[in-house]
Amino acid sequence: MRYTPDELMTVAAARCVGNDDVCFVGIGLPSAACNLARLTHAPEITLIYESGTIGARPSVLPLSIGDGELCATALTTVPVPEFFRYWLQSGRITAGFLGAAQIDRFANINTTVVGAYDAPVVRLPGAGGAPEMAAACQRTFIVMPQSRRAFVERLDFLTSLGHGDGGDHRARLGITTAGPAKVITDLCVMEPDPQTRELTVTSLHPGTARADVESATGWTVRFAPDVGDTPAPTAHELEVLRRVRLDTDKAHEGREPACPTR
Amino acid sequence: MRYTPDELMTVAAARCVGNDDVCFVGIGLPSAACNLARLTHAPEITLIYESGTIGARPSVLPLSIGDGELCATALTTVPVPEFFRYWLQSGRITAGFLGAAQIDRFANINTTVVGAYDAPVVRLPGAGGAPEMAAACQRTFIVMPQSRRAFVERLDFLTSLGHGDGGDHRARLGITTAGPAKVITDLCVMEPDPQTRELTVTSLHPGTARADVESATGWTVRFAPDVGDTPAPTAHELEVLRRVRLDTDKAHEGREPACPTR
Amino acid sequence: MEGFTHLIPFAAAHEVIRQGRRDLTLVRMTPDLIYDQMIGAGCAAKLVFSWGGNPGVGSLHRLRDAVEHGWPRPLALEEYSHAAMANAYDAGAARLPFAPFRGCPGDLARVNPNYRSVTCPFTGEAITAVPAMRPDVTIVHAQRADRQGNVMIEGITGVQKEAVLAAARAIVTVEEVVDTFDGGPVNSCILPHWTIGAIAVVPGGAFPSYAYGYYQRNNAFYLAWDGVSRSRDAFGAWIDEHVMQSGPDAFAVHAAQVA
Amino acid sequence: MEGFTHLIPFAAAHEVIRQGRRDLTLVRMTPDLIYDQMIGAGCAAKLVFSWGGNPGVGSLHRLRDAVEHGWPRPLALEEYSHAAMANAYDAGAARLPFAPFRGCPGDLARVNPNYRSVTCPFTGEAITAVPAMRPDVTIVHAQRADRQGNVMIEGITGVQKEAVLAAARAIVTVEEVVDTFDGGPVNSCILPHWTIGAIAVVPGGAFPSYAYGYYQRNNAFYLAWDGVSRSRDAFGAWIDEHVMQSGPDAFAVHAAQVA
């Protein structure tokens, strides 16, 4: 079965989590991945959106983290301060998914600004829940397409900490969680080196060559001694993902005439 | 109409609050007084019990601050930490009623221990919500029978701050609320002197002489220049109070055989 | 003007734009389309926020135009993370001067001097602190008020309760007024009448966001806004027709259509 | 063992007494009859609390006997106000090391070294601080669990949720197990199954306190307890008959009688 790079990334992300995980779910690809996991190999997984919906089981993918569908299908919905205090900060969330505009070799990320903060070339949305998610989730997974513009030698702005300057930097900052466990791109999967914590390619997606990864990375990228092949999505995974995407598109067409702009 | 000292105290306390008050209600006489106010001159008054029940309208007086009746009749019930943080500490509560085992001339009170803390003669229940109520309610009213054992020169333990050492002591401690506005006993009403903040008798209950107050007070008690007469309870107030007390007694007899102790 | 995705007070924002308010400091975790419209209309001198995108769609183009090009006027930013702002509202509601939380090291603390630190008096740990958020006015939208003026919020409650309790004054728009809340869930999110300054009944007032139990989020509007807001001219024409030449009654159709 | 007047886990306490547990540190804002029984039965070495009376009745005589006369064994006290303990649980649930709140000057801070102070890094104000409360085990009673093991609490929720989330492990007794909570209020107080270690179904397990929606508080028992607990002998006989010679099933009659 053929698939798009986005589908491969989504499936690879979905496979990172299991039944016992309590996931902090962001909108977009993370939401698709977590719900794909829930609809395939991890029916008992707990999904939490930062809108405070705990144990959401949406039948279509939400466009925003606060869609009514999330609240209606959740075990309960708590106030946002409570979410950040009792549920995230407390370390109860085992897995979080992040995306970014820029990432460096230690998986620190930038979602704030391209260029100088005071005179930005591109103003990005900003931090949202990402910094404390990066600090408090037991493990995080970063999912983003790979390019030299995004995989940079030096971030324009460090929004959310990954492995800092590498090594035991997180621990020295008093952070007890593991940090970024995988970076999943449209070309490969990277994992932090056990010692240096520098991102290292551990598997290449079907059809990707090492040179493709090298030319899409803004630093001299390292490869693990035993680089594997990322397993392709199964037919079942693709079917489930496409069905939920189709249902979602239908739902988002809206019940009313769209934006009344003439 | 004849009445008991307890009824007089309850009625006098009820008259301290009005429709616009948001009251922190403790169990016992304060609860009777606040509900009497609600059932007579202040139907719009807001009663809050520290169990988190906001806007309770009990038909019988609760034995505990957490009786189901309070929750069932309340506008809403919030968690106890939220009560103390968003509702009390925030200064939203306009009036609070306190009782005590000991009080001094500046209306500081002791509900913790008689004798030394480490070797108590009588171990009292302790602080409960009183200290922060004393600090955060806009005004407090203290209701307790008068005797030399209770109205003391020096507290064995300062549980909840009144006017401290007198004068502007509260303000110097950074406390912005007014503190004890009245002390209502079975003999008289005392109010803090505008300057010194020492408790001063401002009205005597019907049938009470100055000497009665003096002999029931452990310090040389002061009288205001114009000591008034506490108005007696009206027939209507007494009727309402007695009806709610009767209903309460009936309800508390319980639906089951009492404590199964043979 | 709070409302975390849900119950965003669009009708109130349009009234603010119509009244020609200027130099406002706008506070909101997620500026969303509501502040994109107010910023584009020139109401705002400063934005206090933690995530400024069109959820699931992309950029807020009016916000970006203000920050990147100073159009229609320069916009000062005071930027936090969600956790920081949620804690700041919580501290504001509790009348604490600061909010302690476990922050994440990074550049936000470098560009925002309101990121400071307190030392735990028991463990010696350094804990991040931000000042309590105490808006002059908070405006929220809610499902219903009762005749006494108490307000009930249901579903995703976000930071609305905290924002109301943290503010010096609060204004609430509601879908409808009911006689009483008696018989509802005993632990409902209810704001007593004495915490609220004024209530306006504006059915549909959260459109194109939603009111749980009343009407759904109009995701198509959010998708279409990307096109409208990209160009200054298209935006101006939209504001003129749908805000300046319109009124709060225009929202009622949205409440009715998807009920 | 929390439960603020409502949902006090008496059945669990009786099991602790039956198992002959000793040297426990008991934590509870309001020790109530439940700790009066455990203290009188000799289970406790230390009590952490903020108000130790029989609500609306008077003293807890077993607590007083332990503090005033060391019977059946001396009892160490760690004493707070309600506000301090509620904030300490809140900080425990949020995994902050300390809880800042506006405390009241007085002698509690003199006898409890856990009253300290933090300085606001913005205003310079001194704010009272107590350490976060982090019990080894929290036991609460709740109305119901679903088949997955999620637990719902309704009515006066007290500090139960915070106490569960603050603890290293949590045990819950419930009135009943239902298939699902679907269809209930969307903002209910629900503890997900992954926050709870074990659940025991004990109908009536909160007697003589109550379970909102199931049975009422037995105020007559609270009044009668004053007499039972005044004498060491009468107390001993009561514990022997109603705890030692009894079992958790004995509570079911209370659930049935007032349903």
Side-chain angles (χ1 to χ4, degrees), chain D residues 1-2 7-22 24 26 28 31-39 41 43 139-141 171 173 202 205-208 238-239 242-244 247-248 251:
Chain D
M1 292 190 159
E2 272 299 342
L7 293 172
I8 303 179
F10 276 95
H14 287 190
E15 185 59 32
V16 171
I17 295 172
R18 265 193 301 277
Q19 292 186 9
R21 302 285 171 144
R22 290 290 177 273
L24 299 176
L26 298 179
R28 217 180 122 76
D32 201 273
L33 274 48
I34 188 174
Y35 280 4
D36 209 36
Q37 294 171 2
M38 293 176 76
I39 291 165
C43 302
I139 303 177
V140 298
H141 188 75
I171 300 170
T173 55
V202 190
F207 175 90
W238 190 92
I239 288 285
H242 295 282
V243 179
M244 301 312 287
F251 282 85

Side-chain angles (χ1 to χ4, degrees), chain A residues 27-28 50-53 61-73 77-82 84-85 88-89 111-112 117-136 155-161 173-175 251-262, chain C residues 4-6 29 49-59 63-64 67-68 77-84 86-87 89-90 100-108 110-111 115 154-159 162 207 210 212 216-225 228 234 237-238 241-242 253-254 257-258:
Chain A
I27 283 306
E50 63 193 327
S51 53
T53 48
L61 300 176
L63 184 67
S64 84
I65 54 161
D67 279 21
E69 173 80 6
L70 296 177
C71 178
T73 64
T77 299
V78 302
V80 164
E82 178 183 321
F84 281 102
R85 300 180 76 247
L88 177 61
Q89 180 171 275
T111 55
T112 302
Y117 184 78
D118 290 328
V121 177
V122 181
R123 174 63 223 200
L124 303 164
E132 283 73 22
M133 180 176 169
L155 300 179
D156 288 345
F157 192 95
L158 195 165
T159 311
S160 304
L161 190 77
L173 290 168
I175 297 172
H252 289 185
E253 278 163 15
R255 287 146 204 84
E256 298 184 51
C259 187
T261 53
R262 286 160 300 175
Chain C
F4 202 81
T5 314
H6 179 210
M29 291 177 62
F49 77 114
S50 46
W51 192 83
N54 180 344
V57 179
S59 292
L63 166 58
R64 280 187 57 181
V67 174
E68 296 170 9
L77 297 182
E78 181 177 318
E79 187 166 1
Y80 295 92
S81 69
H82 277 353
N87 274 286
Y89 275 122
D90 174 81
F101 69 103
R102 294 188 184 277
C104 174
D107 286 341
L108 263 180
R110 188 170 53 74
V111 298
Y115 274 85
E154 208 174 22
I156 293 175
T157 58
V159 290
E162 287 76 13
F207 175 90
Y210 70 107
Y212 190 82
Q216 299 193 34
R217 190 173 193 266
N218 193 299
N219 284 326
F221 187 104
Y222 276 82
L223 291 164
W225 183 254
V228 176
W238 189 92
E241 178 177 351
H242 295 282
V253 63
H254 305 301
Q257 258 177 323
V258 214

Side-chain angles (χ1 to χ4, degrees), chain A residues 91-139:
Chain A
R92 273 174 252 277
I93 299 186
T94 62
F97 288 90
L98 291 160
Q102 291 182 337
I103 184 170
D104 70 14
R105 72 177 70 215
F106 293 114
N108 305 297
I109 62 176
N110 171 17
T111 55
T112 302
V113 73
V114 176
Y117 184 78
D118 290 328
V121 177
V122 181
R123 174 63 223 200
L124 303 164
E132 283 73 22
M133 180 176 169
C137 290
Q138 294 306 317
R139 297 167 302 154

